[in-house]
Amino acid sequence: MLEKGRQRQKIGILQMMFLVIAFTALFSVSSNARAAEYSANVNTDRTNGICTYTLNGIDTEATKSMTTKVTYNDNDGNEAIMLEQPVTFDADNCKNGQYTGSFSMSDLKTYAYKEYTVSFVMSDNFTVQAPTKCDFTVHRENMVLKVDGYKSKVNRTISFINSNNDVLVPGKDNQIQLSIAKKDGTNEQKIGSSVEIPNASKSWDIDLTKYCTSYGKYDAVITVQNSKLAAGKEEIAKTQFDVALTYGKIGSKSTAKTEKNQTFRVFVEKVNSALVVKDVTFNIYNSAGKIVCTAKGVHNGTSTYYYSDIPLKSINYKFGKYKIEVLVTDNAGITRTLKATGNATLKVKNGTLTVVKLSNGTCKFKIVNVYIPGNIKRVRFKVYSIKNGKRKFEKSLIGLYSNKAYIANYKYTEKGRFQVIACGYTQWNREIKFRTKEFNVKTVDVGKNGWRYETYAGKTYKFYYKNGDKVTDLTNILKLKKGNNKFKIVVNRAACCVTIYAYDSQKKGFIIPIKTCTVSVGRDTATVSGESGLTTTSSYTPLGSYSISSNGQASKYSLKPMNEPDGSTVYARWASHVVGNVYFHAIAVGSKSHYALNPTTYNKLGSAASAGCIRMTVADAKWLYDYVAVGSRVKIEKGNSKQPGPLGKEAAIKVTGSINYDPTDPSVPISTKKKDYKAGKISGYMTGKGVKVGY
């Protein structure tokens, strides 16, 4: 019985399930059939923010009203109802089974820029959903937001572009606002006020210093502004840009100006800041990592090149390698230490030293490619002889600068081993050794010494050498005494040079040149006349053979008054008569004073300038007065300017316009001569012992 009861129960359950399935199928067929009776269409006017819909297939006998429902899906996928709008059908709004209605964004309590679904809930609880949706979205795909300008530039252009001339945001009451903010969202700043959404594009030219207070990445953000938005605004476009400080090379260099000023230049190139560079500071570190100097950078105009000339004194004149650190302060007050550093290498260049042995017991010292930061004041070559392993100082020579080299000639008088040290001296008088070199001098290298017969201009003469140099004044070598010395005096008129010869008993002739003098002869050098043409108005030195002779009164005068063509009287010291009105004498002065010299006349020594006499320095005229005996032969030749004589022609002393004395005059104090020589007023002078200085 129990088993039969269970079978009847199962049959009852199956019958009920069959009935449910059959009802559901019947209802579904019925719903589909009813849905097919309706058709709906939705059209969106984005400009005005209006959605218009049409519903067809309404049977007003069966359906008296409906509710238009507007919804959208939120970010979580949930349906949100934005509007429910009841509609009652009547003969006016529903004709031929068609109803047309609309709603606008202003009908919505709040905006959400979404796609909206429009549904129609009929009075018999049947719902019809429009197959298309109302497009109230923001068309972000047609927006371009860009920032033009390099990352370290102050001025930028931000452009918002409507790429398709689209209605980017639906509705009439929308405006957009540009803002910039740090990438983390802080420090947001509005750029101007909100504006209408452009049909094509809108640009903002901005000065970053008004909105940015630090470096880093920033966002440019466009928000749509509308009071019906839940937050009053909604971000619709964003792009990123950099606010940066940039720079180029950091280093050092020296120029002629910095060397002269005993400085070295440190610099940084291409410094640009989006916040404007206010100051640049250089920190100089030594090799121990200690700051030894801090200096402000300077620049010219709008240049992005900053530099500072660092005095060598500020680093205690210590050479070596220094690190350059650069700090940049901008108008926002930010001081930033640049990551990169530079180097300043203050190093002595020791160069190359060579020793070349020349003829006549001379060797040339030459050092090239030497350098001392802050300029070389001078170079000296210190020479030592080496005997038994010990050094002995011999001589110090100043190097003359020529063709990027320092050169000096050293004359040695004996064989042996020598050492030369080339030393440079700084502007602050510090000695720096460049190079050291040793060299040997052999017997054959030692220069000429003593008497030698040699040829000059086709004639044989007897010369005296000392340490390879030809002696040009044999007064002391011959131990001449004042008074009765029979000499031969030759005047080379073309060269304005006088050579005095002594007699050589071996060769039987006046062939020993013992002294040379630079003179002025008569300014008329074309005349070849002899003494017969001499007059008070002539201006030539007569050619011919004469002697130191009497002119009817005396042969020599310690001070000789002479009459000028204009009738005035001048005074010539140490005059020795030759012929007629021609004398050897010191340059005549307007009074008997030792300080009445005409500097212009003095500076003509070495050229034809006199009225016929042979003008000399005081020292040369006095030597001839003292040492040449009356009756000594005088030969005046036309001569050759390129062959002045076997002893050559000495350089003449030059004086400035303020000098009124002869620098060889023994009556003028040595102190006066030294002072004027140091001041550059005279190019040379003679001491009381006859030593020549400067010439």
Side-chain angles (χ1 to χ4, degrees):
M1 290 295 292
L2 181 60
E3 185 64 31
K4 289 181 179 180
R6 290 177 178 173
Q7 288 179 351
R8 284 196 295 269
Q9 186 178 6
K10 288 182 180 179
I11 292 171
I13 292 172
L14 289 173
Q15 289 174 342
M16 290 180 65
M17 289 178 64
F18 175 78
L19 290 173
V20 170
I21 292 171
F23 178 78
T24 301
L26 179 63
F27 181 80
S28 177
V29 171
S30 176
S31 296
N32 289 336
R34 293 194 63 188
E37 296 175 0
Y38 294 95
S39 65
N41 182 48
V42 171
N43 184 48
T44 305
D45 178 359
R46 290 176 56 80
T47 301
N48 296 300
I50 297 174
C51 183
T52 302
Y53 56 86
T54 301
L55 180 64
N56 294 299
I58 303 171
D59 182 358
T60 56
E61 293 295 328
T63 304
K64 301 297 185 181
S65 64
M66 70 174 181
T67 299
T68 303
K69 185 168 70 171
V70 180
T71 63
Y72 74 91
N73 291 330
D74 64 18
N75 294 332
D76 296 326
N78 299 318
E79 182 181 74
I81 299 174
M82 293 296 288
L83 178 67
E84 288 184 316
Q85 191 178 53
V87 176
T88 301
F89 300 129
D90 58 32
D92 292 327
N93 64 21
C94 186
K95 296 179 180 180
N96 299 321
Q98 183 184 73
Y99 178 81
T100 299
S102 66
F103 65 89
S104 68
M105 296 188 73
S106 61
D107 295 328
L108 307 178
K109 292 181 180 180
T110 58
Y111 288 173
Y113 293 118
K114 301 285 186 178
E115 284 188 323
Y116 288 88
T117 299
V118 182
S119 300
F120 309 99
V121 182
M122 314 309 288
S123 58
D124 56 0
N125 291 323
F126 182 76
T127 300
V128 179
Q129 181 176 307
T132 57
K133 294 186 178 183
C134 180
D135 182 11
F136 283 162
T137 62
V138 175
H139 287 185
R140 289 180 173 82
E141 68 277 8
N142 292 330
M143 299 178 189
V144 177
L145 181 62
K146 66 176 184 176
V147 180
D148 293 321
Y150 189 61
K151 62 183 179 180
S152 61
K153 293 301 182 183
V154 175
N155 298 312
R156 307 290 178 88
T157 298
I158 301 178
S159 301
F160 179 71
I161 301 169
N162 184 345
S163 62
N164 286 336
N165 296 326
D166 186 19
V167 179
L168 300 175
V169 182
K172 283 183 168 297
D173 300 326
N174 300 306
Q175 289 197 318
I176 57 170
Q177 173 70 55
L178 172 65
S179 302
I180 61 173
K182 290 284 287 183
K183 188 175 182 298
D184 60 7
T186 61
N187 195 34
E188 181 178 1
Q189 300 280 332
K190 290 183 178 180
I191 309 300
S193 57
S194 59
V195 297
E196 292 184 358
I197 300 174
N199 292 327
S201 65
K202 165 68 179 175
S203 295
W204 294 263
D205 293 324
I206 65 172
D207 179 350
L208 291 185
T209 60
K210 296 179 180 179
Y211 305 103
C212 301
T213 58
S214 62
Y215 298 107
K217 293 188 179 297
Y218 281 76
D219 286 327
V221 180
I222 294 289
T223 56
V224 62
Q225 309 280 310
N226 196 303
S227 60
K228 283 207 169 185
L229 288 168
K233 63 181 181 178
E234 182 175 323
E235 180 183 301
I236 60 173
K238 181 165 66 175
T239 191
Q240 192 177 93
F241 65 95
D242 288 320
V243 174
L245 167 66
T246 61
Y247 56 94
K249 180 181 178 182
I250 300 171
S252 69
K253 66 179 180 179
S254 294
T255 64
K257 183 179 179 181
T258 60
E259 292 288 342
K260 181 179 179 181
N261 295 334
Q262 299 178 45
T263 61
F264 64 96
R265 177 164 293 182
V266 296
F267 65 86
V268 57
E269 298 176 335
K270 302 177 182 178
V271 181
N272 288 287
S273 172
L275 303 181
V276 181
V277 177
K278 182 179 180 181
D279 290 306
V280 169
T281 302
F282 295 94
N283 286 335
I284 312 300
Y285 291 81
N286 62 17
S287 58
K290 179 182 178 182
I291 291 182
V292 294
C293 179
T294 296
K296 286 290 185 184
V298 297
H299 70 103
N300 298 323
T302 58
S303 171
T304 59
Y305 175 90
Y306 290 80
Y307 71 92
S308 182
D309 291 337
I310 309 298
L312 293 176
K313 185 177 181 180
S314 68
I315 60 171
N316 295 319
Y317 301 105
K318 292 182 178 180
F319 302 144
K321 189 173 183 179
Y322 292 84
K323 184 178 79 172
I324 307 165
E325 181 182 69
V326 182
L327 289 75
V328 178
T329 301
D330 55 42
N331 279 357
I334 303 170
T335 297
R336 186 171 179 179
T337 301
L338 303 187
K339 291 181 179 179
T341 59
N343 292 314
T345 302
L346 306 179
K347 187 177 180 181
V348 174
K349 292 183 180 179
N350 297 101
T352 302
L353 174 62
T354 57
V355 177
V356 179
K357 286 185 282 188
L358 307 174
S359 60
N360 298 327
T362 303
C363 64
K364 180 170 74 173
F365 302 140
K366 180 179 180 181
I367 190 163
V368 297
N369 297 326
V370 289
Y371 167 74
I372 300 175
N375 246 340
I376 297 174
K377 183 178 183 180
R378 76 175 75 86
V379 168
R380 285 186 181 274
F381 296 94
K382 295 182 178 180
V383 185
Y384 298 84
S385 59
I386 303 175
K387 293 182 179 179
N388 299 323
K390 294 183 179 180
R391 292 193 317 167
K392 177 185 176 183
F393 177 75
E394 296 290 341
K395 197 168 186 178
S396 178
L397 304 166
I398 295 179
L400 299 178
Y401 187 74
S402 175
N403 195 25
K404 299 183 179 180
Y406 290 90
I407 299 171
N409 290 331
Y410 173 64
K411 297 182 182 299
Y412 37 78
T413 59
E414 58 182 350
K415 67 178 182 178
R417 187 157 186 80
F418 293 84
Q419 182 187 72
V420 58
I421 302 175
C423 301
Y425 295 84
T426 66
Q427 298 291 338
W428 52 96
N429 294 320
R430 174 185 169 190
E431 180 185 275
I432 295 175
K433 292 181 180 179
F434 289 138
R435 296 289 182 189
T436 300
K437 200 172 188 68
E438 293 187 4
F439 59 98
N440 289 317
V441 175
K442 301 177 182 179
T443 302
V444 296
D445 298 326
V446 178
K448 299 177 184 178
N449 279 288
W451 294 102
R452 288 174 178 265
Y453 286 102
E454 292 178 347
T455 300
Y456 172 79
K459 295 181 180 180
T460 299
Y461 297 93
K462 188 176 183 179
F463 299 100
Y464 189 84
Y465 284 89
K466 184 176 182 181
N467 298 332
D469 286 333
K470 186 184 292 182
V471 180
T472 58
D473 188 338
L474 299 183
T475 304
N476 294 328
I477 300 298
L478 294 175
K479 298 180 181 180
L480 296 179
K481 295 181 180 180
K482 297 178 181 179
N484 193 26
N485 296 295
K486 289 288 185 178
F487 296 132
K488 178 182 178 181
I489 305 169
V490 177
V491 180
N492 182 333
R493 200 171 71 175
C496 291
C497 182
V498 169
T499 305
I500 303 166
Y501 298 88
Y503 186 78
D504 178 35
S505 58
Q506 186 173 350
K507 296 289 185 179
K508 309 298 183 183
F510 286 92
I511 62 170
I512 305 174
I514 60 173
K515 185 173 175 63
T516 180
C517 308
T518 298
V519 301
S520 286
V521 297
R523 54 185 174 271
D524 181 2
T525 58
T527 299
V528 294
S529 301
E531 63 177 308
S532 60
L534 292 174
T535 66
T536 56
T537 59
S538 62
S539 59
Y540 71 93
T541 302
L543 302 179
S545 296
Y546 310 102
S547 66
I548 302 297
S549 61
S550 171
N551 62 354
Q553 298 179 19
S555 299
K556 297 183 179 182
Y557 301 84
S558 60
L559 186 67
K560 170 70 175 171
M562 292 186 170
N563 297 321
E564 293 288 272
D566 62 1
S568 62
T569 300
V570 295
Y571 300 90
R573 295 187 183 279
W574 314 114
S576 298
H577 182 248
V578 180
V579 61
N581 57 357
V582 177
Y583 290 79
F584 291 106
H585 63 77
I587 293 175
V589 293
S591 69
K592 297 180 181 181
S593 170
H594 290 276
Y595 300 93
L597 181 73
N598 184 328
T600 301
T601 302
Y602 191 83
N603 285 335
K604 291 180 179 179
L605 279 173
S607 62
S610 77
C613 286
I614 302 158
R615 298 175 181 171
M616 313 178 86
T617 64
V618 167
D620 286 344
K622 189 174 187 307
W623 188 95
L624 193 147
Y625 179 94
D626 287 342
Y627 288 100
V628 179
V630 174
S632 292
R633 294 164 55 188
V634 177
K635 186 176 182 180
I636 302 174
E637 301 175 334
K638 188 174 182 179
N640 184 336
S641 61
K642 295 182 179 180
Q643 295 180 341
L647 294 180
K649 179 182 177 180
E650 286 193 335
I653 297 173
K654 299 297 179 182
V655 300
T656 62
S658 63
I659 299 300
N660 56 7
Y661 65 87
D662 185 327
T664 70
D665 190 343
S667 298
V668 177
I670 292 297
S671 59
T672 299
K673 297 177 184 179
K674 285 183 177 180
K675 179 181 177 182
D676 289 337
Y677 178 68
K678 185 176 181 180
K681 295 181 179 180
I682 59 177
S683 64
Y685 65 92
M686 183 177 285
T687 68
K689 295 183 179 180
V691 177
K692 297 177 180 179
V693 178
Y695 75 106

